[in-house]
């Protein structure tokens, strides 16, 4: 993996762009079309921030949780972290001659991603564990940052951190400007997301909840390190999302944002609290600017969640209709 | 368990007192005697907050972690959460006739706490699990709050939330006034601590890290709940404290505060980062106002940690010599 200085500059410039998302008083959500979705967000925020009103929520309780893959950044043609893991397999292959004869690694090294993924979630987990284990948490952070500063998305040729949704960056900034604390609650690896969440989303590491492997405290040459083990700790998906929220936040969110059935329990948990609640699904309806997929997709499947959103009157965002701009790099 | 209105008022008044700990510009630590410990704190904070100086640390990285039992509040004659669990055994006994013939419960119900604890950590864990499991997280929160508003410490007759250390309340407020984010990292149960941490210490639930059991997301009559299982999730002690910090904060603290060997790895992990670092041990040296114990105590043993503190020049606070006042209720 070689990092060119152009790439680093591009990455830094992008980060600046995201963090510089200031909130305009006259139009806090400039990339949102003037429709029902935008209106429901503005009304909810106005309601919970109006002191003295029955729906007022004190700032400490203004917790908003966001899924990441497919909600804050794209997730096609494969979860970006998985593309990172695939690159790691190639990089680490010389140190693992046994991978040539062992699936799913053998298929990957032949360039057969589909074959490698035939093993389903188990194969995916094995790849992530095998490529992450043994590193210290700091080493992993360095490797992820280097990859993010260099690797290109297969379709757009953009850095992965450029494939974040401009309307969602604006929404994050708008909520924070109104006293909300914004959290990521995603199936993605917690350390992978923390490598860019602060720079790109303005979300600090302590507000990132994700899947994780176990780690072990060790003294190496008298220096304490945390070493990643090839053992699963927590998968932050479906029924486990409320568990992760309770474990790390300890307070029920009042607003939740997702894009798939994997987020449904998080939205249910959020909706079931007392007082004003806001639940929103992003629906991928824009094959031209992004991708179009929902009920039958293997990645980001949105089926039961869509039914429940309609039944319960949650906000459903159509990327095609509700967003003026999808990615920050669009004119 | 009966809660008198006097008790609730007393509890509320105390909470007001703790939260009202404002920071005086002329003397931010009024309950600290003018000695080396106080001086080392003031110098560290002055150094990391001075913009342009080589030791300057940006606010986002000013993470301070505090043990709870024996560091922020007392822990004698037994960890307060264990006293809570003992009371729960008595309350729940009618629903558990089998406990009469089963240790450690039988011993507890005979009033033989020492006998019940003969089983060591295993017995303690079994008691906590048995008394917490089956409840939803919200039910546990309610029960803990009711207990804290009513139960009296066996020696002082005070509420447990009154047995917090006034100098440490001042230190928490002083650090926050200087841009620090203060976290609890304690072996205590995460939900037990969250029931009072915000009111008493000004530390919100999302900044509390502790031991935990597993929980399960369920729909009960269509309403989502998180139910506590009788299965251990994480013990936040010794080598696991840096693991818990990495899991929940994802950033290495620059300051760490503890009182026992159980905090040593947290202090080592904190000390090993680059740039200015601050590690402090509270030593229980005041048999008159609090308790005196260290190297040979079964609770809050401070032995290896004390040696390392002396060898590495960490700050060691003598309660007797460094603190003008121990508890807020002292004149």
């Amino acid at each position: 993996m070689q990092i060119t200085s152009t790439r680093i500059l591009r990455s830094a410039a992008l980060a600046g762009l995201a963090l510089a998302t200031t909130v305009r008083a006259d139009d806090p959500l400039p990339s949102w079309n003037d429709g029902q979705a935008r209106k429901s967000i503005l009304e909810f925020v106005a309601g919970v921030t109006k002191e003295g009103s029955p729906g007022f929520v004190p700032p400490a309780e203004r917790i908003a949780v966001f899924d990441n893959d497919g909600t804050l950044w794209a997730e096609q043609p494969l979860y970006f972290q998985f593309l990172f893991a695939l690159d790691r397999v190639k990089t680490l292959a010389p140190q693992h001659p046994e991978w040539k004869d062992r699936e799913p690694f053998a298929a990957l090294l032949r360039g057969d991603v589909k074959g490698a993924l035939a093993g389903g979630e188990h194969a995916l987990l094995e790849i992530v564990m095998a490529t992450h284990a043994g590193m210290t948490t700091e080493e992993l952070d360095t490797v992820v940052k280097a990859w993010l500063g260099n690797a290109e998305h297969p379709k757009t040729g953009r850095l992965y951190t450029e494939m974040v949704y401009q309307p969602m960056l604006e929404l994050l900034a708008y909520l924070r400007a109104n006293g909300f604390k914004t959290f990521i609650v995603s199936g993605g690896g917690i350390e992978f997301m923390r490598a860019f969440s602060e720079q790109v989303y303005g979300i600090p590491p302590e507000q990132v909840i994700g899947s994780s492997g176990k780690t072990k405290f060790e003294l190496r040459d008298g220096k304490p390190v945390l070493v990643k083990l090839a053992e699963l700790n927590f998968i932050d998906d479906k029924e486990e999302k409320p568990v992760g929220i309770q474990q790390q936040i300890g307070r029920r969110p009042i607003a939740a944002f997702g894009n798939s059935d994997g987020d449904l329990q998080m939205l249910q948990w959020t909706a079931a609290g007392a007082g004003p609640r806001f639940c929103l699904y992003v629906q991928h309806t824009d094959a031209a600017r992004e991708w179009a997929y929902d009920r039958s997709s293997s990645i980001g499947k949105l089926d039961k969640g869509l039914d429940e959103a309609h039944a319960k009157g949650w906000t459903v965002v159509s990327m095609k209709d509700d967003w003026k701009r999808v990615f920050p790099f669009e004119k």
Side-chain angles (χ1 to χ4, degrees), chain A:
Chain A
M1 190 179 330
Q2 198 193 333
I3 309 165
T4 66
S5 52
T6 320
R7 284 298 188 187
I8 290 173
L9 286 174
R10 213 168 108 186
S11 178
L14 173 83
L17 180 125
L19 281 179
T21 298
T22 48
V23 182
R24 281 165 44 187
D26 60 328
D27 183 4
L29 300 171
S31 299
W32 291 71
N33 284 319
D34 190 14
Q36 189 50 45
R38 181 174 172 281
K39 194 166 163 257
S40 70
I41 296 169
L42 296 174
E43 282 179 357
F44 170 73
V45 172
V48 299
T49 54
K50 193 178 172 185
E51 275 193 74
S53 86
F56 178 74
V57 176
E61 294 169 23
R62 291 182 205 155
I63 304 289
V65 287
F66 289 81
D67 171 57
N68 184 42
D69 297 305
T71 301
L72 294 179
W73 75 356
E75 59 183 352
Q76 298 285 359
L78 279 173
Y79 297 124
F80 296 171
Q81 186 178 3
F82 188 62
L83 297 171
F84 163 73
L86 296 190
D87 280 351
R88 287 298 292 167
V89 168
K90 288 175 209 158
T91 306
L92 296 173
Q95 298 160 47
H96 292 273
E98 77 279 10
W99 283 354
K100 274 199 215 93
D101 307 309
R102 200 177 126 201
E103 295 302 345
F105 304 97
L108 283 182
L109 294 171
R110 287 193 310 269
D112 176 13
V113 173
K114 210 174 162 184
L117 291 184
E121 193 173 303
H122 177 77
L124 206 146
L125 264 175
E126 194 175 352
I127 291 164
V128 171
M129 287 292 164
T131 51
H132 290 27
M135 272 191 277
T136 69
T137 50
E138 291 182 336
E139 286 163 356
L140 177 61
D141 183 66
T142 304
V143 169
V144 173
K145 281 182 173 140
W147 184 81
L148 288 172
N150 191 50
E152 291 181 353
H153 187 275
K155 182 180 159 189
T156 65
R158 296 280 173 171
L159 295 182
Y160 290 101
T161 48
E162 291 179 286
M163 295 195 62
V164 296
Y165 303 133
Q166 176 64 28
M168 298 305 280
L169 296 181
E170 293 167 7
L171 178 56
L172 286 168
Y174 172 59
L175 289 174
R176 288 194 292 260
N178 281 282
F180 281 77
K181 213 165 179 175
T182 52
F183 288 79
I184 290 175
V185 179
S186 172
I190 194 163
E191 280 141 341
F192 183 81
M193 297 189 289
R194 281 170 170 165
F196 66 93
S197 65
E198 189 156 38
Q199 221 189 4
V200 174
Y201 302 134
I203 297 180
E206 63 268 26
Q207 285 161 227
V208 176
I209 304 171
S211 298
S212 56
K214 288 202 184 293
T215 58
K216 189 176 180 297
F217 178 87
E218 277 182 21
L219 294 175
R220 284 190 178 172
D221 304 326
K223 191 176 172 281
V225 291
L226 289 168
V227 181
K228 293 189 64 64
L229 306 178
E231 190 184 341
L232 199 64
N233 180 52
F234 182 65
I235 300 209
D236 191 31
D237 196 27
K238 300 190 177 75
E239 286 83 3
E240 296 299 303
K241 285 204 172 192
V243 171
I245 288 170
Q246 181 63 20
Q247 177 68 21
Q248 201 161 323
I249 308 179
R251 177 136 60 186
R252 197 193 296 249
I254 65 165
F257 305 82
N259 78 302
S260 80
D261 284 357
D263 303 312
L264 179 56
Q265 289 82 1
M266 173 169 85
L267 270 61
Q268 289 173 332
W269 176 244
T270 300
R277 302 281 142 176
F278 189 78
C279 292
L280 181 150
Y281 263 126
V282 172
Q283 193 178 1
H284 294 262
T285 52
D286 196 328
R289 296 183 300 177
E290 207 245 4
W291 285 269
Y293 58 96
D294 44 46
R295 292 190 189 270
S296 59
S297 176
S298 64
I299 286 177
K301 176 176 178 169
L302 177 62
D303 182 33
K304 283 185 190 171
L306 197 56
D307 291 338
E308 189 148 338
H310 290 145
K312 296 198 170 161
W314 295 343
T315 296
V316 177
V317 168
S318 162
M319 280 192 166
K320 189 177 175 185
D321 302 322
D322 287 309
W323 288 359
K324 276 186 198 143
R325 192 159 67 138
V326 175
F327 297 115
F329 54 77
E330 290 167 22
K331 283 293 166 198

